[in-house]
């Protein structure tokens, strides 16, 4: 990013419209802004923060608007505040502006209430057209990542924190961002999330459920086999019993004293069987009548109401109508009346024919009406008929039941007669017959019970099989998810290796640069190092191979931090201009914007910092007090300072004509272009 | 345009009375029309019924007797004469009364002790006792004669 021009409107103490241009000359790349304490140097740094990130690090952060501008509009007036920056980034010209309109609520209110706010980012495309970026907030954060705000816009009074304890994370983040490693880090984090998601899917779908279901299915199949065997055994037993029963009955038919009774019983039993079938047939007939006409008695009132509606339409002549809507439509479409006259739209004859449609009837409605009408008598008769038919069938069924009862009574009587005969053989045979008959009946019951149980087991088996299919399907998903999770883990590990390798290379490269810059500035026999855990340390050589960390003064820490920032900015610039292809890191141009960078430095360090920094960055912006602009600093900076400004602060306590404080940006020298 | 199929509430009564070897009703269609007629007669409509069964509309729409009942229930409920040619309205009325009727049938026929057929016969007989149908057949016969004559009333009188 190369800064071009900053414009402020009513931003904090910068009343009205104020602007400054940044030095862009290759040999005069430093913009110097002088200002006494409280004149607004830190406010200028904060103008960048407000524009890019929407907040400030100043006291009373809500009070963005110039007090003087607020005072001038009076109560309930509005003031516009704006920060506007022109810059170039990756060869594209941008203008960014953040603005806000605030309303003053009362005379004592200098903060105001926001009425509206806007962030706007425009750029010039390749064809030279001005275009607006849709999501200005994200776009600006991509250009100047917020996590690096302390690197890009640094406050000299706190910059030493980078090399203090706890500065590791900031150092690591800065290296990863500026050196383009975040893409790998993001890839790693994303793959980790992907792996977790697939593993959750594995645990969701893959369970012990399937083996439990297989076990349950095997149990049920065993039960079915056992029941089937029981059924077969019972049938065999029944057959044997029936054979014996038939033998007994045959014997009874052969014996002279029992022959007639036995034959009568056999005939009666056949008749009972026939009557039972007849009874079933009657039931089927009753069911059929209810199925085909049972609804009629319930729906008949609705049919009657509908019939009355049709009669009314018929009386009105609507059904059947003399004329059909389709016929009228056809005439209008052909534009010819039945009398042969031409029908021109919007003429009287056309409108007359059109009116016929109102009297015309729909053929569909008429057809439905005719269908209903043609069934009315039938339905009316059915309402009574269905009851009559059912009653008749019920009477028949009762008659059959009576017949069955009579015959069964006679059968029972025959049995008693046979048991009571004087012949012992017949008594014994009849007793045995009764016993066997009872057994056959018991077997029938048993067979029925077993068949019922088999049906239940089969139903359960079907359900289990469905569940197995479902779980097997889910297991397939689990297998796929497991493979995907393994692949995600493998990819994450490979990316992690790559990431560690690049990170280490980058750290070493930054480390070397930091140390070189640091040693250019520091006169002592000290070294600067970014160690494995990203601590920025200052070391002292105590022998041919050993170094020890040394206690650092604020000034030395400040030099180490400045060296670190300068290394990153210079490496990024070097990479940007390099012809070497790089997958992850294409570098970039970043300015160094420094507020009071010389505060804690000894004069010798001030001189060396002033000498080194302008060489590290494409553009340097220095905000300093006159007291910090020492002869050592000026001696180095004067030659490279292009545009130079001073902040003219108007203090109400010192100027009687000034009621509210304000600052003007005054150009001293314009040699930066 | 009539929909090809529609959903209706197929409760336990359908399983008991319209499926298996001893089914009383020949099809789910016949039981649904019976249930809808019962729902209508008892004025029991279920707005949010369970859509547990699906049926082809032409089983009703193309059966002349069932189509008459469907149209009559729809007209009687909506009082809109166009409903006799509107399958959407007929399906809406049929399914809502159908769900109401099927719940009554389950409660008063299926859930009652005893044989389903005997219980159903008793159910019909009970309805006969509450409904006065005397004279209806005459009225319907007369209307059929009047409406079914092809010529408009004026011309037949002249």
């Amino acid at each position: 990013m190369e800064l071009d021009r900053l414009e402020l409107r009513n931003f904090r103490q910068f009343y009205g419209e104020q602007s400054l241009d940044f030095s862009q000359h290759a040999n005069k790349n430093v913009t110097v802004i002088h200002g006494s304490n409280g004149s607004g140097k830190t406010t200028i740094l904060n103008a960048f923060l407000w524009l890019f990130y929407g907040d400030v690090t100043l006291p009373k952060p809500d009070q963005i608007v110039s007090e003087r501008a607020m005072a001038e509009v009076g109560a309930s007036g509005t003031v516009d505040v704006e920060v506007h920056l022109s810059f170039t980034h990756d060869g594209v010209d941008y203008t960014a502006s953040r603005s806000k309109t605030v309303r003053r609520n009362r005379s004592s209110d200098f903060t105001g209430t926001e009425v509206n706010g806007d962030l706007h980012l425009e750029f010039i495309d390749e064809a030279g057209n001005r275009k607006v970026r849709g999501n200005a907030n994200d776009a600006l954060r991509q250009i100047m990542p917020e996590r690096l705000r302390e690197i890009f816009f640094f406050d000299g009074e706190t910059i030493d924190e980078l090399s203090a304890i706890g500065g590791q994370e900031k150092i690591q983040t800065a290296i990863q961002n500026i050196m383009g490693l975040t893409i790998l880090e993001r890839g790693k984090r994303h793959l980790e999330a992907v792996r977790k998601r697939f593993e959750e899917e594995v645990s969701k779908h893959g369970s012990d459920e399937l083996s439990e279901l297989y076990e349950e299915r095997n149990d049920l199949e065993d039960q079915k086999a056992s029941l089937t065997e029981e059924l077969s055994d019972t049938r065999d037993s029944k057959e044997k019993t029936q054979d014996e029963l038939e033998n007994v009955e045959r014997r009874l038919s052969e014996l002279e004293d029992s022959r007639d009774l036995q034959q009568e019983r056999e005939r009666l039993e056949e008749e009972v069987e026939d009557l039972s079938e007849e009874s079933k047939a009657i039931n089927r007939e009753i069911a059929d009548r209810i199925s085909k006409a049972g609804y009629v008695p319930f729906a008949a009132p609705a049919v009657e109401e509908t019939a009355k509606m049709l009669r009314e339409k018929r009386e009105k002549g609507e059904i059947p109508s003399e004329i059909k809507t389709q016929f009228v439509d056809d005439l209008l479409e052909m534009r010819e009346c039945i009398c042969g006259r031409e029908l021109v739209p919007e003429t009287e004859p056309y409108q007359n024919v059109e009116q016929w449609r109102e009297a015309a009837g729909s053929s569909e409605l008429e057809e439905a009406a005719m269908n209903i009408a043609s069934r009315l008598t039938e339905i009316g008769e059915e309402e009574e008929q269905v009851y009559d038919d059912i009653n008749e069938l019920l009477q028949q069924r009762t008659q059959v039941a009576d017949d069955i009862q009579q015959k069964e009574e006679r059968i029972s009587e025959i049995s008693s007669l046979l048991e009571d005969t004087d012949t012992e053989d017949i008594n014994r045979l009849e007793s045995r017959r009764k016993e066997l008959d009872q057994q056959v009946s018991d077997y029938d019951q048993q067979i029925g019970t077993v068949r019922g149980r088999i049906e239940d087991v089969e139903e359960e088996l079907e359900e289990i099989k469905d569940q197995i299919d479902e779980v097997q399907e889910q297991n397939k998903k689990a297998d796929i998810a497991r493979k995907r999770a393994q692949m995600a883990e493998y990819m994450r590990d490979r990316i992690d290796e790559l990431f560690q390798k690049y990170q280490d290379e980058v750290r070493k490269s930054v480390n070397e640069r930091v140390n070189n810059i640091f040693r250019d500035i520091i006169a002592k026999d000290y070294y600067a190092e970014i160690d494995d855990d990203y601590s920025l340390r200052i070391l002292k050589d105590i022998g041919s191979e050993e170094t020890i960390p040394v206690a650092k003064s604020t000034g030395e820490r400040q030099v180490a931090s400045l060296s670190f920032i300068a290394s990153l900015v210079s490496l990024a610039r070097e990479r940007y201009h390099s012809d070497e292809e790089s997958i992850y890191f294409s570098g970039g141009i970043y300015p160094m914007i420094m507020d009071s960078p010389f505060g804690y430095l000894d004069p010798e360090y001030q001189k060396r910092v002033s000498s080194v920094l302008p060489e590290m960055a494409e553009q340097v912006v220095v905000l300093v007090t006159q007291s910090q602009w020492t002869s050592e600093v000026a001696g180095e900076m004067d030659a490279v300072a292009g545009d130079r400004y001073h902040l003219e602060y108007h203090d109400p306590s010192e100027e009687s004509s000034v009621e509210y404080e304000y600052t003007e940006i005054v150009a001293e020298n314009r040699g930066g272009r | 345009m009539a929909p090809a199929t529609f959903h209706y509430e197929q409760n336990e009564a359908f399983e008991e009375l319209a499926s298996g070897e001893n089914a009383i009703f020949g099809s789910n269609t016949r039981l649904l029309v019976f249930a809808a007629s019962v729902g209508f007669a008892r004025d029991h409509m279920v707005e949010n019924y369970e859509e547990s069964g699906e049926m082809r509309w032409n089983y009703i729409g193309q059966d002349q007797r069932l189509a008459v009942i469907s149209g009559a229930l729809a007209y009687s409920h909506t009082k809109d004469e166009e409903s006799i040619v509107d399958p959407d309205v007929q399906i809406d009325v049929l399914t809502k009364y159908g769900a109401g009727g099927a719940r009554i049938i389950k409660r008063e026929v299926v859930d009652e002790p005893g044989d389903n057929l005997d219980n159903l016969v008793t159910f019909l007989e009970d309805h006969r006792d509450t409904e006065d149908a005397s004279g209806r057949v005459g009225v319907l016969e007369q209307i059929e004669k009047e409406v079914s004559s092809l010529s408009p009333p004026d011309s037949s009188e002249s």
Side-chain angles (χ1 to χ4, degrees):
Chain A
M1 183 173 83
E2 189 180 25
L3 301 170
D4 180 27
R5 182 179 171 84
L6 178 71
E7 293 169 6
L8 309 175
R9 180 144 62 115
N10 295 326
F11 184 75
R12 299 282 292 202
Q13 68 262 55
F14 291 92
Y15 167 75
E17 290 182 4
Q18 310 275 343
S19 67
L20 56 92
D21 295 309
F22 297 98
S23 299
Q24 292 179 325
H25 195 283
N27 299 323
K28 285 182 176 290
N29 63 337
V30 180
T31 305
V32 182
I33 301 163
H34 297 288
S36 54
N37 286 332
S39 64
K41 296 191 301 299
T42 309
T43 304
I44 288 192
L45 193 75
N46 270 274
F48 284 101
L49 297 179
W50 193 65
L51 173 67
F52 279 94
Y53 316 118
D55 62 11
V56 294
T57 58
L58 295 164
K60 298 185 188 169
D62 295 338
Q63 204 171 314
I64 296 295
V65 191
S66 153
E67 265 186 26
R68 183 178 166 188
M70 282 293 263
E72 282 177 1
V73 295
S76 68
T78 58
V79 177
D80 294 331
V81 57
E82 184 179 6
V83 173
H84 184 102
L85 179 71
S86 316
F87 61 93
T88 306
H89 183 72
D90 277 349
V92 179
D93 291 335
Y94 288 90
T95 53
S97 69
R98 188 182 287 276
S99 58
K100 192 154 115 167
T101 302
V102 298
R103 183 182 303 284
R104 191 180 184 201
N105 299 313
R106 54 192 174 278
S107 56
S108 60
D109 176 24
F110 289 97
T111 303
T113 307
E114 184 174 336
V115 179
N116 60 49
D118 183 40
L119 178 64
H120 192 75
L121 181 65
E122 283 183 0
F123 67 100
I124 309 289
D125 71 5
E126 286 172 356
N129 299 314
R130 187 167 286 277
K131 295 269 176 70
V132 176
R133 281 292 288 268
N135 194 336
N137 202 32
D138 286 351
L140 284 174
R141 280 161 201 261
Q142 274 170 18
I143 294 168
M144 295 294 259
E146 190 173 7
R147 290 195 291 175
L148 302 182
R149 58 195 278 174
E150 287 174 46
I151 303 291
F152 295 131
F153 309 107
F154 76 79
D155 183 347
E157 286 170 13
T158 56
I159 192 65
D160 59 299
E161 285 171 7
L162 278 178
S163 55
I165 293 165
Q168 294 99 315
E169 199 186 326
K170 286 178 186 168
I171 300 268
Q172 193 171 12
T173 305
I175 290 178
Q176 285 175 5
N177 270 272
I178 294 196
M179 303 309 275
L181 295 178
T182 44
I183 188 169
L184 287 173
E185 212 242 336
R186 272 204 302 274
K188 199 176 78 172
R189 275 191 280 120
H190 176 68
L191 282 166
E192 183 58 24
V194 167
R195 186 183 63 82
K196 278 188 185 150
R197 186 160 59 79
F198 283 126
E199 280 182 356
E200 275 166 22
E201 214 167 303
V202 171
S203 59
K204 196 171 93 187
H205 295 303
S207 65
D208 297 333
E209 207 181 344
L210 192 61
S211 52
E212 283 167 18
L213 285 169
Y214 282 142
E215 209 172 306
E216 217 170 317
R217 183 188 63 183
N218 292 342
D219 283 351
L220 285 168
E221 278 173 346
D222 288 349
Q223 274 184 49
K224 189 185 166 188
S226 156
L227 286 166
T228 310
E229 205 175 325
E230 190 184 334
L231 182 67
S232 172
D233 291 348
T234 315
R235 278 177 176 155
D236 284 350
S237 306
K238 183 190 159 190
E239 264 179 46
K240 281 176 194 155
T241 314
Q242 254 177 333
D243 284 349
E244 196 186 337
L245 177 65
E246 279 168 23
N247 284 336
V248 171
E249 285 175 343
R250 198 178 309 117
R251 185 78 188 117
L252 284 169
S253 305
E254 285 163 4
L255 295 170
E256 196 180 343
D257 289 348
S258 61
R259 184 186 305 137
D260 291 347
L261 285 171
Q262 175 59 26
Q263 282 175 354
E264 186 188 352
R265 179 160 64 188
E266 282 173 7
R267 184 178 47 79
L268 286 168
E269 278 174 348
E270 273 176 26
E271 284 172 7
V272 166
E273 207 168 305
D274 290 347
L275 285 168
S276 295
E277 284 304 314
E278 198 180 327
S279 178
K280 282 181 193 167
I282 293 168
N283 277 343
R284 281 198 293 274
E285 223 171 312
I286 295 171
D288 189 55
R289 285 301 286 135
I290 294 176
S291 175
K292 286 182 177 157
Y295 54 80
V296 173
F298 295 92
V303 174
E304 185 179 355
E305 193 178 355
T306 310
K308 284 175 178 168
M309 175 271 288
L310 295 178
R311 178 166 64 187
E312 211 172 297
K313 286 181 81 63
R314 156 80 182 147
E315 281 166 1
K316 287 181 190 165
E318 290 172 13
I319 52 169
S321 61
E322 290 175 304
I323 190 163
K324 299 283 182 289
T325 46
Q326 186 61 51
F327 178 66
V328 180
D329 288 341
D330 289 346
L331 293 179
L332 292 170
E333 197 186 324
M334 289 188 301
R335 298 195 177 178
E336 188 179 331
C337 184
I338 39 175
C339 61
R341 185 172 188 171
E342 191 187 0
L343 297 171
V344 180
E346 293 175 17
T347 61
E348 202 183 332
Y350 186 94
Q351 284 159 358
N352 287 341
V353 173
E354 208 171 23
Q355 279 170 10
W356 294 354
R357 294 176 92 255
E358 287 172 23
S362 134
S363 49
E364 197 188 354
L365 185 72
E366 200 168 298
E367 197 181 316
M370 288 305 164
N371 179 44
I372 293 172
S374 68
R375 302 269 159 185
L376 291 176
T377 307
E378 179 189 317
I379 289 171
E381 286 169 355
E382 192 87 285
E383 186 177 7
E384 279 303 310
Q385 191 63 45
V386 69
Y387 285 116
D388 293 347
D389 290 350
I390 290 171
N391 280 337
E392 197 185 319
L393 288 164
L394 286 175
Q395 279 171 18
Q396 285 177 23
R397 197 177 71 173
T398 307
Q399 183 60 51
V400 169
D402 289 348
D403 286 355
I404 290 172
Q405 195 183 344
Q406 276 178 21
K407 291 181 196 300
E408 281 178 341
E409 279 170 9
R410 175 64 189 150
I411 289 168
S412 175
E413 197 180 344
I414 290 170
S415 181
S416 302
L417 287 170
L418 289 170
E419 274 178 320
D420 292 342
T421 52
D422 298 333
T423 318
E424 198 179 321
D425 269 2
I426 292 173
N427 295 161
R428 191 177 46 77
L429 281 169
E430 181 55 22
S431 296
R432 181 65 184 150
R433 195 205 67 83
K434 276 180 80 175
E435 204 178 294
L436 291 167
D437 194 45
Q438 184 59 48
Q439 277 179 21
V440 169
S441 181
D442 289 347
Y443 283 133
D444 275 338
Q445 204 175 340
Q446 204 175 326
I447 286 167
T449 309
V450 176
R451 282 172 70 171
R453 282 167 62 196
I454 289 174
E455 275 173 23
D456 289 347
V457 169
E458 279 174 343
E459 255 180 49
E460 279 183 59
L461 260 172
E462 281 305 309
E463 275 175 29
I464 292 284
K465 281 176 184 168
D466 286 349
Q467 285 179 36
I468 287 172
D469 287 348
E470 207 174 299
V471 174
Q472 275 175 339
E473 186 59 35
Q474 284 178 349
N475 270 18
K476 273 188 207 162
K477 283 183 192 165
D479 280 344
I480 293 168
R482 191 176 296 114
K483 282 177 190 156
R484 284 176 176 166
Q486 283 165 354
M487 181 53 79
E489 192 175 2
Y490 174 81
M491 295 294 290
R492 187 212 53 192
D493 290 347
R494 296 292 79 76
I495 285 186
D496 192 34
E497 277 171 20
L498 206 59
F499 178 73
Q500 296 300 344
K501 180 172 164 273
Y502 275 104
Q503 187 168 249
D504 203 41
E505 278 176 17
V506 166
R507 187 179 60 80
K508 281 179 185 158
S509 159
V510 174
N511 196 20
E512 196 183 329
R513 182 70 57 102
V514 168
N515 191 38
N516 287 343
I517 296 172
F518 182 77
R519 284 172 66 81
D520 274 353
I521 297 169
I522 295 282
K524 298 172 189 170
D525 204 10
Y526 287 173
Y527 299 87
E529 182 192 77
I530 299 168
D531 66 13
D532 291 348
D533 74 347
Y534 288 88
S535 294
L536 178 56
R537 304 193 305 165
I538 300 171
L539 305 166
K540 186 182 181 185
D541 208 342
I542 57 161
S544 57
E545 289 176 355
E546 280 187 274
T547 52
I548 54 158
V550 294
K552 299 166 279 182
S553 69
T554 308
E556 281 155 358
R557 288 210 307 269
Q558 198 173 5
V559 170
S561 301
L562 279 169
S563 304
F564 171 67
I565 293 169
S567 337
L568 286 186
V569 171
S570 66
L571 276 170
R573 181 172 66 157
E574 207 172 279
R575 174 57 68 182
Y576 185 76
H577 290 303
S578 165
D579 293 334
E580 272 180 54
E581 293 238 342
S582 170
I583 301 170
Y584 303 107
F585 177 50
S586 55
I589 299 295
Y590 297 100
M592 289 176 72
I593 304 169
M594 308 181 285
D595 181 14
S596 307
F598 311 113
Y600 297 103
L601 304 181
D602 293 343
E604 186 54 29
Y605 290 165
Q606 288 181 356
K607 182 177 182 322
R608 292 185 189 187
V609 166
S610 305
S611 151
V612 169
L613 293 187
E615 291 171 12
M616 299 293 112
E618 196 95 348
Q619 253 182 334
V620 177
V621 179
V622 186
L623 297 137
V624 285
T625 59
Q626 204 57 51
S627 62
Q628 287 169 351
W629 195 254
T630 59
S631 57
E632 284 79 8
V633 174
E636 295 295 330
M637 289 279 189
D638 275 345
V640 289
D643 293 317
R644 191 180 291 191
Y645 299 85
H646 81 266
L647 304 179
E648 196 165 312
Y649 177 60
H650 298 274
D651 187 348
S653 63
E654 290 182 6
E655 293 177 52
S656 57
S657 59
V658 175
E659 198 178 343
Y660 295 95
E661 63 160 14
Y662 69 97
T663 297
E664 286 178 284
I665 301 172
V666 180
E668 284 182 352
N669 178 32
R670 303 297 307 278
R673 300 281 169 136
Chain B
M1 181 79 178
T5 64
F6 63 93
H7 288 92
Y8 65 101
E9 182 167 302
Q10 195 185 71
N11 71 354
E12 201 192 324
F14 284 81
E15 170 74 22
E16 286 282 324
L17 306 177
S19 72
E21 280 176 29
N22 299 314
I24 296 169
F25 287 87
S27 64
N28 285 339
T29 309
R30 294 206 168 268
L31 178 50
L32 178 65
V33 174
F34 178 76
S37 306
V38 169
F40 169 78
R42 297 278 193 93
D43 195 19
H44 185 31
M45 203 174 217
V46 177
E47 290 287 336
N48 297 311
Y49 57 86
E50 267 185 47
E51 296 188 342
S52 43
E54 189 174 7
M55 188 175 287
R56 293 192 73 79
W57 166 246
N58 64 14
Y59 292 166
I60 292 167
Q62 288 181 12
D63 180 304
Q64 289 195 333
R65 276 272 294 264
L66 298 185
V68 171
I69 301 300
S70 172
L73 293 178
Y75 171 72
S76 208
H77 179 72
T78 62
K79 311 294 183 219
D80 175 7
E81 49 197 53
E82 289 295 324
S83 65
I84 66 169
V85 289
D86 188 338
D88 290 324
V89 175
Q90 290 183 32
I91 288 168
D92 186 54
V93 172
L94 197 69
T95 47
K96 286 174 181 169
Y97 275 137
R103 292 181 190 187
I104 292 170
I105 294 163
K106 179 184 176 304
R107 195 171 59 240
E108 298 183 22
V109 175
V110 175
D111 292 346
E112 281 292 302
D115 178 69
N116 281 339
L117 182 65
D118 291 344
N119 292 344
L120 190 58
V121 169
T122 308
F123 182 78
L124 278 161
E125 296 286 357
D126 288 348
H127 175 71
R128 188 186 202 181
D129 295 342
T130 59
E131 180 71 26
D132 179 17
S134 59
R136 179 152 38 227
V137 62
V139 172
L140 293 177
E141 201 176 341
Q142 182 58 32
I143 295 174
E144 178 173 338
K145 274 184 198 160
E146 287 173 20
V147 176
S148 298
S149 59
L150 286 170
S151 309
D154 289 344
S155 59
S156 65
E157 282 164 15
S158 62

